[in-house]
Amino acid sequence: MKKIFLIFGFLGFFALESLGVDVFCNDTYNSKLELIEHNVPIGTVIISPLENFRKNFSHNGAQVRYVAKDKGYYKFNLTADNIRGEHGILNWNQVSVRFYTGFAGKMTFKIDSIDACWGEADKCKELNNSERWYTKYPSDIAGEILYYRVLSSDYSASGLSTSDKNKNYGGICYDSHLTNTTKFPNNSINVLYDQSQTYSARTYVGGDVNILIELNPNFEAAIRDIAHRFSATIIIEPLQSSIDTISGNINLSNSFTQNGKLYTQIIGKPFDLQLYKALADELDFTDRKLQLTLVNDKGEAVKFTSGSGGNVININQNKFEALNTSSIKINNIVIKNESNITPALKFKIELLDKTNNVIDTGYSDSFSARPKGYVSNLDGNTKIGGTRDQNLNDIKAIDELNNKVLGYNTMLETLNEKNIIKWTQDEKCKDGENIIEPNKITNMRIKFDSGLGSSYNVCYDNEKAIELNADNINANKCYFSYPDIGPTTINIYDDTWTAIDHDGDCIEGESGNVANSDGKIGCNIELQSDYYKFMLDKIMLKSKELSDKFSNMTYYLKDDVYTKSKERLESMMAADLKLNLNATLADGTTPKLYTKNYYAKDVNLDVTDNLTEEVYYYGVEKTADERDKFAIKIKSAEDDDTTKEKNDGKFTISKDAFYLGEASVSLKLNLGRKYNEPKAYKNITPDIFTLSGKDEDNVELEKGVVASDSEANFYYGRVFAPNYDIYANSGEVSLYYGVYFSGDESEEDKEKIKNFITSNETKTLEECKIPQLKDYYINPAFSGESTNEYLGANLTISENNAAVKENGKEKLILTYNGVEFPKTINIKITPNDEAKKYLLFDKFVPNDEKPIDTSFNATFYSLDKGGWTGSGEHGKVMDIGGENSDNAPKGNRRIDW
């Protein structure tokens, strides 16, 4: 291969004078540009000698550049000497070489050697004078020797010392050091003495490239004044053919790494991408440009914005060519919230020629743009459990700006392991050590239309339960109905929307929206711990049942203290009104969590009746240990004095009475009595009572309960003992517990009373009559231990058979301790305080006084001092006839009628 030598024959000094600065341009003794290798025919190589161009400004650079017109490979060697730094006053040397190419190519510039002349200046003119030129520097000299720049033809520096600064003439030097970055578009390239560097530049069709070289201006003055020389290699070679295809040449990738992968993004949130070359070889982008659009998996255009505009990203030729040296950043891309967003998106990449004809089309990696999460779409998040809600729109998928995502159309299902819908009750739901599980949703779907999701878990066809599936949902046969109550948390996540990115383009199992250091966000769309509160629809009064204190009977009672302890309430003489309540959801089912220590509430209750006579109602104190068994009597401000409590029928059913949604509580009631006037039998049934009320959440008590066929039977009662004659100093007597039966009752009531007294006619009515007492009959249901006290003068009273009351009788043994006969002793009977309220009777006590005892007489006769009259055996009580007998003892106020 021929070598062509171009010798710099510079005549004298050529200085660019501006503001007192003298730059000696190409002021060398021995310089040459030698074409040492090429692959084009010599005849086509155009060589213009590089003249001394000190005053050659008018030639438009024609004589001061190397013209490589034909496309091919060119290798040059450049040598120059007498390169000095600042010497004198702002004087220094620059070497300038310019190349013109007729083709798109690449030029590389490399410093091969640097020498310094350590001797007299005239001796250094000889290029090969080995005595003066050395390749080594003293050890105290810094490594940076030469600075150089490569400038393209489209650059005009303000420091250009020409008469026409709008032109960038070839081979022209600059009146500023190459380190001055304010004047030059590229940073300086610092060439180290012990390390060669290669700089690459692009060449263009009909374009120029200018190379400038100067000594490091930061050297100390002694070094800057020394002449230096250098040798460099310059190569110009063509690029490959013009780019005509995208595949294998151009890639679109995330902004973090050039792996050709696009990562999951949030709809409405800005993100960045980059274009880069697929191959290391430089490409020819002449008359080429790119156009990028976004499409869904149906090929439809999806709207977006970017830093360069909207819906289309245009990469023009000048910007396109930057790919040879670096990637092209595409910043602030924002996918618009449109209805045609699908789970898989990709960028369509079109390669265009200069007339905008599409040469080739390619596509980026597919990626997903997802909602950033879900939010609850219900006001207050409070609903009635068991309500059938259809098309509820209770969940909303949102974009970065919290707007519903119009293109999010999908269906989530609990049974699909990739779509999770989970309901969780509050952790406080514990009953001691036991956790009560609520009625659970076993299957559920959420159907999203344009970002709004409606929940479904039950389906019906003509009130018949049918399968929960997409067909029935679309046919509007399905509903959402929560099967329990209380605050509950819904957790939802969907990772199927981003399935296309599950190969590492998002973080599986996570839902974070902030990119990690690799630029990736979570794959999941998630709703975390959003609370709903489900409430009761109503509280059903399932039943109200009456029962007597004893078997088929309750004594009338007068007691104006309506609040009692649990023990007093259990033992008092009263009928029992048992109420069975059922917490109910809208669909009639019972919530398990309406339970004490869970979400049961106190229920305030009003009890009224339709009787003409007053009914007396009794309940436990608010602090009673077992509030779960009896209704709590509500006290008013007037009730502080227990003697003035209001009999207003107001009660509270404690939340402690509820378990698994059901409660069974009782309140006590009676119809009252007088102490000096008997009262006729009364039968009542539950239907006379009306109950109303609401719990603390204002859930109403259902009033339309059907009463049971139970009843309560009220009798007026007395404890009574006839007068006795005892013909001995000791004898057995009987006390009777009776019920009043006048015979004036209705025929229906008479029949009930007779059946009760005669134990369903196992005895005659006459056999059941209490001796010496009109209209009172022995109470066969009255039994138990005696609670009476007995007192008689000079008399010992002992209990027989442990003083057990059986079938309305109580037996005592009376022993007279005196010596005087006959002797009549009055025996006082004092029942306990409770029994006084339903057994004592004294016709002659004023209405405003309460008798505190009752009594009978026993007359003792001595067998040693005389005979006896009447019939009977010695030592026994004589049968002296009934209350109307002529032989009956008189007195003791026993004959009332």
Side-chain angles (χ1 to χ4, degrees), residues 589-830:
T589 60
T590 300
K592 291 182 180 179
L593 295 187
Y594 203 82
T595 296
K596 65 177 180 179
N597 300 327
Y598 286 69
Y599 304 114
K601 303 291 183 181
D602 288 344
V603 180
N604 291 327
L605 190 69
D606 283 324
V607 184
T608 58
D609 56 78
N610 61 7
L611 293 181
T612 56
E613 57 190 298
E614 185 172 14
V615 180
Y616 299 88
Y617 299 101
Y618 305 91
V620 293
E621 301 168 341
K622 186 174 183 179
T623 58
D625 292 337
E626 296 187 44
R627 298 184 298 275
D628 57 338
K629 291 185 177 180
F630 294 100
I632 299 169
K633 179 68 179 71
I634 296 177
K635 288 187 175 184
S636 65
E638 303 170 12
D639 293 341
D640 292 338
D641 181 354
T642 57
T643 63
K644 296 181 180 179
E645 283 187 325
K646 292 176 66 177
N647 180 38
D648 53 10
K650 294 185 179 297
F651 294 88
T652 296
I653 298 175
S654 171
K655 60 186 175 221
D656 292 345
F658 286 92
Y659 183 74
L660 300 181
E662 297 181 345
S664 182
V665 296
S666 295
L667 57 89
K668 299 293 185 178
L669 60 90
N670 208 296
L671 303 184
R673 82 191 297 268
K674 294 181 179 180
Y675 289 95
N676 56 359
E677 181 179 334
K679 189 173 184 178
Y681 163 84
K682 181 72 175 179
N683 169 273
I684 63 173
T685 54
D687 58 312
I688 70 169
F689 300 102
T690 300
L691 290 90
S692 60
K694 59 181 67 175
D695 72 3
E696 294 172 291
D697 286 335
N698 289 321
V699 177
E700 296 281 348
L701 180 69
E702 180 67 34
K703 301 176 182 179
V705 65
V706 177
S708 69
D709 58 359
S710 60
E711 62 181 8
N713 301 277
F714 289 91
Y715 292 87
Y716 193 85
R718 292 182 67 173
V719 58
F720 180 83
N723 294 326
Y724 289 95
D725 289 339
I726 303 174
Y727 291 87
N729 64 342
S730 179
E732 184 182 77
V733 298
S734 293
L735 274 73
Y736 297 94
Y737 295 87
V739 294
Y740 178 70
F741 177 28
S742 67
D744 296 329
E745 294 83 0
S746 68
E747 291 301 319
E748 181 180 355
D749 285 348
K750 284 180 183 180
E751 190 66 25
K752 284 185 177 181
I753 297 169
K754 287 180 181 179
N755 287 335
F756 168 69
I757 293 173
T758 62
S759 301
N760 292 320
E761 299 184 349
T762 57
K763 298 179 180 179
T764 65
L765 194 60
E766 189 64 27
E767 289 177 301
C768 299
K769 193 173 184 182
I770 295 177
Q772 302 179 14
L773 191 60
K774 182 181 180 182
D775 297 335
Y776 283 89
Y777 296 83
I778 299 171
N779 181 359
F782 196 73
S783 60
E785 294 182 1
S786 175
T787 56
N788 301 326
E789 292 183 1
Y790 307 97
L791 182 63
N794 209 16
L795 190 67
T796 299
I797 304 173
S798 60
E799 300 171 343
N800 193 10
N801 297 326
V804 172
K805 303 188 293 287
E806 288 184 342
N807 300 322
K809 292 182 181 181
E810 182 177 350
K811 295 182 179 181
L812 301 174
I813 297 175
L814 307 181
T815 302
Y816 173 51
N817 299 319
V819 295
E820 179 184 353
F821 293 96
K823 182 64 174 179
T824 299
I825 301 174
N826 182 257
I827 302 163
K828 182 187 293 185
I829 307 171
T830 306

Side-chain angles (χ1 to χ4, degrees), residues 54-234:
R54 177 172 47 182
K55 295 183 179 180
N56 226 354
F57 296 116
S58 61
H59 295 166
N60 198 24
Q63 287 113 346
V64 292
R65 62 185 178 182
Y66 181 87
V67 179
K69 197 169 190 179
D70 292 339
K71 185 175 182 180
Y73 176 84
Y74 300 82
K75 183 175 182 181
F76 301 89
N77 177 252
L78 172 66
T79 58
D81 59 7
N82 197 32
I83 309 300
R84 301 168 68 188
E86 286 189 11
H87 52 281
I89 301 176
L90 294 179
N91 298 325
W92 72 92
N93 293 61
Q94 283 183 356
V95 173
S96 176
V97 181
R98 186 164 192 158
F99 295 86
Y100 168 88
T101 56
F103 56 91
K106 175 177 68 173
M107 182 177 70
T108 58
F109 176 84
K110 177 182 178 183
I111 300 292
D112 297 319
S113 65
I114 305 173
D115 300 319
C117 182
W118 302 93
E120 298 177 6
D122 59 343
K123 298 294 184 182
C124 293
K125 294 179 181 180
E126 302 176 18
L127 188 61
N128 296 318
N129 189 335
S130 60
E131 295 179 359
R132 300 298 180 185
W133 291 97
Y134 295 90
T135 58
K136 299 293 184 182
Y137 280 88
S139 60
D140 60 344
I141 295 181
E144 298 176 350
I145 308 302
L146 295 181
Y147 283 5
Y148 70 93
R149 289 183 181 278
V150 180
L151 303 176
S152 60
S153 60
D154 58 354
Y155 175 67
S156 295
S158 61
L160 186 64
S161 294
T162 69
S163 59
D164 184 358
K165 293 183 179 180
N166 292 323
K167 294 181 180 181
N168 192 6
Y169 292 95
I172 297 301
C173 297
Y174 290 80
D175 62 354
S176 177
H177 283 299
L178 303 185
T179 56
N180 189 339
T181 58
T182 61
K183 284 192 175 184
F184 295 94
N186 300 314
N187 290 332
S188 297
I189 303 299
N190 302 327
V191 181
L192 304 183
Y193 168 71
D194 56 354
Q195 177 182 340
S196 296
Q197 296 188 17
T198 299
Y199 183 86
S200 296
R202 284 278 287 110
T203 66
Y204 304 97
V205 178
D208 297 308
V209 178
N210 209 113
I211 300 176
L212 300 174
I213 304 100
E214 71 176 25
L215 189 67
N216 185 346
N218 298 317
F219 278 165
E220 58 186 84
I223 301 300
R224 293 197 306 266
D225 196 39
I226 296 174
H228 289 71
R229 70 179 179 181
F230 72 90
S231 175
T233 298
I234 301 171

Side-chain angles (χ1 to χ4, degrees), residues 217-476:
N218 298 317
F219 278 165
E220 58 186 84
I223 301 300
R224 293 197 306 266
D225 196 39
I226 296 174
H228 289 71
R229 70 179 179 181
F230 72 90
S231 175
T233 298
I234 301 171
I235 298 174
I236 299 175
E237 56 188 336
L239 300 177
Q240 69 175 43
S241 300
S242 296
I243 179 172
D244 293 320
T245 60
I246 294 173
S247 177
N249 290 318
I250 304 299
N251 280 343
L252 184 64
S253 183
N254 63 85
S255 62
F256 290 82
T257 181
Q258 292 181 354
N259 60 2
K261 303 285 286 181
L262 301 190
Y263 297 155
T264 300
Q265 302 299 333
I266 302 295
I267 297 169
K269 184 175 183 178
F271 63 97
D272 302 333
L273 295 177
Q274 60 174 322
L275 275 170
Y276 67 96
K277 288 192 310 177
L279 301 175
D281 295 339
E282 294 196 28
L283 302 174
D284 182 1
F285 295 98
T286 304
D287 297 330
R288 297 290 185 264
K289 53 188 176 180
L290 280 186
Q291 179 174 282
L292 278 68
T293 55
L294 184 64
V295 296
N296 62 20
D297 53 15
K298 300 176 184 178
E300 301 168 340
V302 175
K303 293 182 179 180
F304 69 96
T305 61
S306 68
S308 60
N311 301 329
V312 178
I313 298 172
N314 290 303
I315 309 294
N316 61 31
Q317 178 178 335
N318 290 339
K319 192 172 184 181
F320 203 5
E321 289 170 343
L323 284 181
N324 276 324
T325 56
S326 65
S327 65
I328 298 175
K329 304 297 183 182
I330 306 173
N331 298 326
N332 295 318
I333 300 171
V334 177
I335 298 174
K336 289 188 175 182
N337 187 349
E338 297 287 340
S339 60
N340 64 344
I341 292 177
T342 57
L345 304 176
K346 56 188 174 183
F347 281 94
K348 182 180 181 181
I349 307 171
E350 293 178 301
L351 181 64
L352 309 177
D353 63 16
K354 63 181 180 181
T355 59
N356 292 328
N357 293 316
V358 177
I359 300 172
D360 190 30
T361 300
Y363 292 91
S364 71
D365 175 45
S366 294
F367 70 103
S368 176
R370 67 167 175 84
K372 76 173 180 180
Y374 305 108
V375 295
S376 170
N377 203 35
L378 294 180
D379 293 336
N381 293 0
T382 300
K383 294 191 63 60
I384 301 298
T387 301
R388 291 186 193 175
D389 288 303
Q390 193 172 58
N391 303 324
L392 190 59
N393 288 337
D394 54 324
I395 305 293
K396 180 167 66 174
I398 56 173
D399 66 5
E400 179 66 15
L401 301 178
N402 298 327
N403 298 313
K404 66 178 182 177
V405 177
L406 300 176
Y408 189 67
N409 301 297
T410 189
M411 186 175 294
L412 310 184
E413 184 178 8
T414 53
L415 297 182
N416 184 341
E417 63 181 9
K418 290 297 185 180
N419 301 120
I420 300 300
I421 305 166
K422 182 180 179 183
W423 294 91
T424 305
Q425 270 64 39
D426 197 311
E427 291 183 358
K428 79 170 187 175
C429 292
K430 293 184 179 181
D431 182 12
E433 296 298 322
N434 300 316
I435 298 177
I436 295 178
E437 292 289 345
N439 297 316
K440 291 185 176 181
I441 294 177
T442 57
N443 190 11
M444 181 173 170
R445 296 195 182 194
I446 301 178
K447 181 186 177 184
F448 284 89
D449 288 316
S450 300
L452 291 180
S454 292
S455 301
Y456 302 94
N457 66 316
V458 293
C459 301
Y460 296 92
D461 189 3
N462 293 324
E463 293 304 309
K464 179 182 179 181
I466 58 176
E467 181 183 0
L468 174 67
N469 57 38
D471 289 340
N472 288 332
I473 289 174
N474 293 331
N476 287 322

